Amino acid sequence: MNITTAIILAGGLGTRLRSVVSDRPKPMAQVAAKPFLEHLIDYWISQGIRHIILSVGYMQHIIVDHFGYEYKKAKIEYSIESNPLGTGGALIKASQLINPGEPFILLNGDTFFPISLKELAEYSARIKAGVCLSLFSSNDHVRYLGVSLSDEDIIVSFSNDHSEPVLRNEQKWVNGGVYFFQYESLNGFINNSNEKCSLESELFPKMLKAGVPFYGKKCSETFIDIGVPSDYYMAHEILNRRGYECQ
């Protein structure tokens, strides 16, 4: 399976990072000498992405002015939110710019998880996933969306209500912000293009209940998040040390 299209959610308000980055949208925060979003896009272009749909809202002009409509030979399109739609609403709106039937990946604009696109695509095709989440192991039971997996790595539930007791420092598999989607998995949801909803707490559980086959792919790569100041500063160190920059 050849995947060349990515939707990137880059329209959030970034309120938790506002104390250190206040003059630009969160994905455009300077990290290791360039905007974080540029690190993200450079990496996925190196993986074979040639069509990028940027879901933008807050301070959108900064993103549009920086990347334009073509960047390193990749086509750039914009799905513009006049009012915040949440991550789920942003996905549904942006997906209307994709050719029906075309598989794609969805990326969070404030996280970076440098997994192999080829491996994700091959794995998703082999197991016939409707949606496949890349997962990393974490003991943070509040900040990240945890999943419950069957022995076949089928996602049977999402742990987004934090109601189940967990052991301190217990590792669990959580969402890494890189998602494979079969276009058809959004059937029945794609027409609601102006409704605000959360990807993790509303849309995913509804899709799971509707019978969309969700899988998780366990990954060992380093997960980077710039959502809060402490992780933002850590991202500088990781990206400088790892040298993820793609020319």
Side-chain angles (χ1 to χ4, degrees), residues 84-104:
L85 294 174
T87 50
L91 164 63
I92 291 170
K93 182 177 177 63
S95 66
Q96 296 181 61
L97 296 175
I98 294 177
N99 295 324
E102 179 185 359
F104 62 95

Side-chain angles (χ1 to χ4, degrees), residues 223-244:
F223 176 78
I224 302 172
D225 188 348
I226 63 164
V228 297
S230 59
D231 285 346
Y232 168 66
Y233 293 125
M234 189 180 300
H236 286 266
E237 299 176 13
I238 296 172
L239 286 170
N240 276 322
R241 183 171 68 248
R242 297 274 180 151
Y244 283 131

Side-chain angles (χ1 to χ4, degrees), residues 208-228:
L208 190 65
K209 187 175 181 180
V212 175
F214 273 78
Y215 284 80
K217 185 179 188 300
K218 299 171 182 175
C219 305
S220 59
E221 288 80 2
T222 300
F223 176 78
I224 302 172
D225 188 348
I226 63 164
V228 297

